[in-house]
Structure formats: structure tokens, C-alpha cells
């Protein structure tokens, strides 16, 4: 089977099957071999690995994954792509294609069935319209996943990797850093895709921690505090958290907690590290 990655091959396959791109599914297919190699290399896949690919498209990256991994499951929402995938992946006996929305798939059940519950690696050129919900589901659900290597919008990759105090730092950076160690591995220009997206892209590799490296007594409360802090980003933490009615903390309680942490009461959420949000959360429940 010829590799599909070139623009010519991709167009041939699309024409042959009379396939129409669907914008609502975020369909921008990769046509650059070097970028595909870089993604697969960053994911560090060996013959022992079970890989879940989200949104295989016509299967260009899936082919690379099948060559490297022990087993691959590719989850594709667009049923018009299934006959194409059956053809382009026909030479591989280590791949299963599932026609479903990744947000509706029982991922823990899938990993249990296909890999006896041992950690999977997730690799994807993600549809940009649902990048954050997908990445957050993979992280928050405490699934057996050891790494997530994904192409996302460049700005989203920068937010995931951002440090406290920077303009890109926010709830997404904190969540990603709480669960994983993120590294941007490549910036990818629009001309590497058909059709070309309007924005730049980047590949980011998240090495998911086996166990949390930050201890917090009530993870849910910490994330509620983080959301409250960044919903009103320009306000001080004391104001943004006390304004959030459902949390029920008074200005005095928040000020006392910050004082006990040697932080000024004028501080904003954007200045706090993940460890400091965890410490604030622990102080507020006692
Ligand atoms: N992997 C292919 C490539 O790199 O050329 C295609 C990537 S394209 C950016 C995103 C793919 O995700 C499309 O094939 C799209 O149909 C699929 N997709 C969109 N939403 C999805 C969802 N909720 N669940 C599974 N697949 C989805």
C-alpha cells in the first residue's frame, strides 16, 4: 500500500470516493510526510504499544501508527470516511476502526478490552472545534493513558504549555499541568493540510503522570477555584472567588487563606502556580 500523505495521493483518494470535506467535523487532512513522522516520533511508539487515534480522516497517520504500534484503534465520527479507511488500511491487520464520536466512546472499556487495561497512547490530528473537551476528558477521567500527542491550534498549544504570569496562562494550562508534563514539539503551517486551516497549528506531547505530582485534598474544589479565578481574570482572587456564589467563600476567608500562604490579598489567579492553587484549596476547606 502506498503511503497516502502527499497532496496528490490525498486528492486521488478523495476524488475516487467522491468525498466532500465537512467543516463541522474540523476536517483538515495532513499532507506533509515530515510532520507525520515528527508526530509519530514524538509519541515514541513501539511494537508493545496500544494506540488510540482520534479522527483518522482518510488514514494517512493511521498507516504510520499501524507500522509502529502493536495495535491501533481509530475512532472516526464521519461515516463517509469508513469505506475509505477500510480501503486505505486494508493491508494492516492490527487496526480496528470505530465509527463514533470520541466523546461518546467508553474509552476505559476500550482500553480494558483491547489492552487488558494497560495504558494506551493517544495520537491525533485533532478536530479544532472540540480540542479542549477531548483533551480535558482524556485527562480528567483518570483513564489509563500514558501520553497524548496531538496536533492542535497553535494558540491552544501555547495555552497548554503556558507558565504562571504569562498572557496565555489560564484554566487550561493549570489542568494540563496538573495531570501531565506538556511539551510543544513542532509548529506546523497551514500549507501542510488540505484544506488549509485559517490558523497555525502545533504538535504538543503530554506525558501523563501515573499518579498526581501535586497533592490536593479536594480536586473538584481546586478546579472550581481555578475556573472562578479565570472567569474574572482581571479581578483579584479575593473578588473573583467570593463573587462566585456557588463556592460560598467570604472575602475574609479567602484573604486569611492567602495571608497564611504569604501571598498578597491583591494577587490575581494568573500569578498562582498549580501547587499554590492546591494549597489555597486545602486551606479553604479547613
Ligand atoms: N487524522 C487525519 C489527518 O491527519 O489527515 C484527519 C484529521 S482532521 C483535523 C480531524 C478528524 O477528526 C476528521 O477526520 C473528522 O471527521 C474527525 N472528527 C471530528 N470530530 C470527531 C469526533 N467527535 N469524534 C471522532 N472523530 C472526529
Amino acid at each position: 500500500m502506498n503511503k497516502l500523505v502527499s497532496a496528490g495521493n490525498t486528492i486521488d483518494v478523495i476524488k475516487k470516493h467522491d468525498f466532500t470535506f465537512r467543516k463541522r467535523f474540523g476536517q483538515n487532512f495532513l499532507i506533509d510526510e515530515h510532520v507525520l513522522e515528527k508526530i509519530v516520533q514524538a509519541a515514541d511508539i513501539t511494537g508493545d504499544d496500544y494506540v488510540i487515534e482520534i479522527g483518522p480522516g482518510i488514514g494517512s497517520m493511521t498507516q504510520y501508527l499501524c507500522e509502529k504500534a502493536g495495535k491501533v484503534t481509530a475512532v472516526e465520527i464521519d461515516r463517509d470516511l469508513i469505506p475509505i479507511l477500510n480501503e486505505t488500511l486494508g493491508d494492516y491487520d492490527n487496526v480496528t476502526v470505530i465509527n463514533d464520536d470520541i466523546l461518546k466512546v467508553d474509552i476505559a472499556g476500550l482500553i480494558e478490552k483491547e489492552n487488558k487495561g494497560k495504558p494506551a497512547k493517544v495520537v491525533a490530528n485533532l478536530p479544532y472545534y472540540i480540542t479542549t473537551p477531548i483533551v480535558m476528558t482524556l485527562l480528567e477521567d483518570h483513564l489509563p493513558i500514558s501520553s497524548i500527542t496531538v496536533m492542535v491550534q497553535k494558540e491552544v498549544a501555547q495555552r497548554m504549555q503556558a507558565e504562571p504570569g504569562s498572557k496565555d496562562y489560564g484554566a487550561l494550562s493549570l489542568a494540563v499541568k496538573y495531570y501531565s508534563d506538556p511539551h510543544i514539539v513542532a509548529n506546523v503551517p497551514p500549507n501542510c493540510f488540505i484544506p488549509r486551516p485559517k490558523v497555525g497549528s502545533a504538535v504538543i506531547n503530554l506525558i501523563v503522570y501515573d499518579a498526581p505530582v501535586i497533592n490536593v485534598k479536594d480536586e473538584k474544589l481546586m478546579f472550581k477555584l481555578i475556573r472562578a479565578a479565570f472567569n474574572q481574570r482581571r479581578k483579584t482572587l479575593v473578588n473573583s472567588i467570593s463573587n462566585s456564589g456557588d463556592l460560598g467563600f467570604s472575602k475574609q476567608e479567602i484573604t486569611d487563606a492567602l495571608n497564611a500562604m504569604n501571598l498578597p490579598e491583591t494577587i490575581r489567579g494568573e500569578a498562582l502556580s498549580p501547587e499554590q492553587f492546591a494549597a489555597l484549596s486545602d486551606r479553604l476547606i479547613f
Side-chain angles (χ1 to χ4, degrees):
M1 162 69 57
N2 279 339
K3 286 266 165 38
L4 291 168
V5 279
S6 74
N9 285 352
T10 302
I11 288 166
D12 286 349
V13 170
I14 283 165
K15 276 196 178 145
K16 180 177 165 198
H17 290 267
D18 203 15
F19 174 76
T20 316
F21 285 99
R22 285 205 174 83
K23 215 172 167 185
R24 73 189 162 97
F25 286 151
Q27 290 174 341
N28 301 98
F29 295 166
L30 253 171
I31 50 163
D32 187 301
E33 192 173 355
H34 300 294
V35 174
L36 276 175
E37 276 166 6
K38 208 153 191 176
I39 297 172
V40 176
Q41 198 184 358
D44 192 23
I45 293 162
T46 70
D48 291 333
D49 285 321
Y50 170 54
V51 174
I52 299 176
E53 186 190 7
I54 300 164
I58 60 166
S60 314
M61 189 153 75
T62 326
Q63 291 183 334
Y64 278 75
L65 296 171
C66 291
E67 301 269 346
K68 295 259 179 192
K71 215 174 190 186
V72 178
T73 298
V75 181
E76 173 56 61
I77 197 169
D78 187 348
R79 64 165 184 258
D80 290 351
L81 286 167
I82 306 304
I84 302 183
L85 288 164
N86 287 339
E87 188 176 301
T88 59
L89 302 176
D91 284 355
Y92 300 98
D93 58 9
N94 59 344
V95 62
T96 309
V97 176
I98 297 177
N99 181 204
D100 207 344
D101 176 346
I102 188 66
L103 294 177
K104 294 187 181 147
V105 171
D106 169 12
I107 300 172
L110 183 66
I111 299 173
E112 184 57 45
K113 181 172 144 235
E114 298 290 344
N115 206 35
K116 300 194 180 93
K118 285 190 288 158
K121 290 181 175 170
V122 172
V123 184
N125 169 16
L126 284 178
Y128 294 172
Y129 76 107
I130 45 164
T131 300
T132 304
I134 291 177
V135 172
M136 290 318 300
T137 301
L138 297 176
L139 292 173
E140 279 176 348
D141 289 1
H142 297 280
L143 299 165
I145 290 174
S146 57
S147 70
I148 302 171
T149 309
V150 281
M151 175 91 71
V152 297
Q153 201 174 319
K154 190 174 171 188
E155 278 174 11
V156 175
Q158 286 166 341
R159 275 168 36 214
M160 287 180 180
Q161 200 188 240
E163 295 297 333
S166 69
K167 73 170 174 30
D168 292 327
Y169 189 63
L172 181 64
S173 337
L174 277 149
V176 164
K177 279 166 194 285
Y178 177 74
Y179 294 110
S180 73
D181 186 15
H183 292 282
I184 293 177
V185 293
N187 285 317
V188 183
N191 63 6
C192 293
F193 303 86
I194 296 180
R196 291 183 185 198
K198 290 201 178 69
V199 291
S201 304
V203 180
I204 190 160
N205 176 236
L206 314 179
I207 304 292
V208 183
Y209 298 130
D210 293 340
V213 292
I214 297 167
N215 288 317
V216 63
K217 294 194 174 81
D218 184 344
E219 197 177 288
K220 283 209 171 90
L221 172 64
M222 179 184 70
F223 281 112
K224 279 185 187 166
L225 295 172
I226 290 171
R227 267 196 296 278
F230 289 97
N231 276 345
Q232 296 186 306
R233 195 185 172 98
R234 309 308 312 160
K235 291 210 157 88
T236 64
L237 260 184
V238 173
N239 283 332
S240 57
I241 295 176
S242 63
N243 282 349
S244 175
D246 60 327
L247 283 170
F249 296 114
S250 68
K251 286 192 177 178
Q252 194 56 53
E253 283 173 303
I254 305 157
T255 306
D256 290 347
L258 290 174
N259 285 342
M261 292 167 63
N262 290 323
L263 293 173
E265 53 200 74
T266 51
I267 201 162
R268 290 179 183 162
E270 62 199 17
L272 261 63
S273 65
E275 290 81 358
Q276 286 172 316
F277 266 109
L280 177 65
S281 168
D282 283 357
R283 285 196 180 273
L284 283 173
I285 45 179
F286 286 103

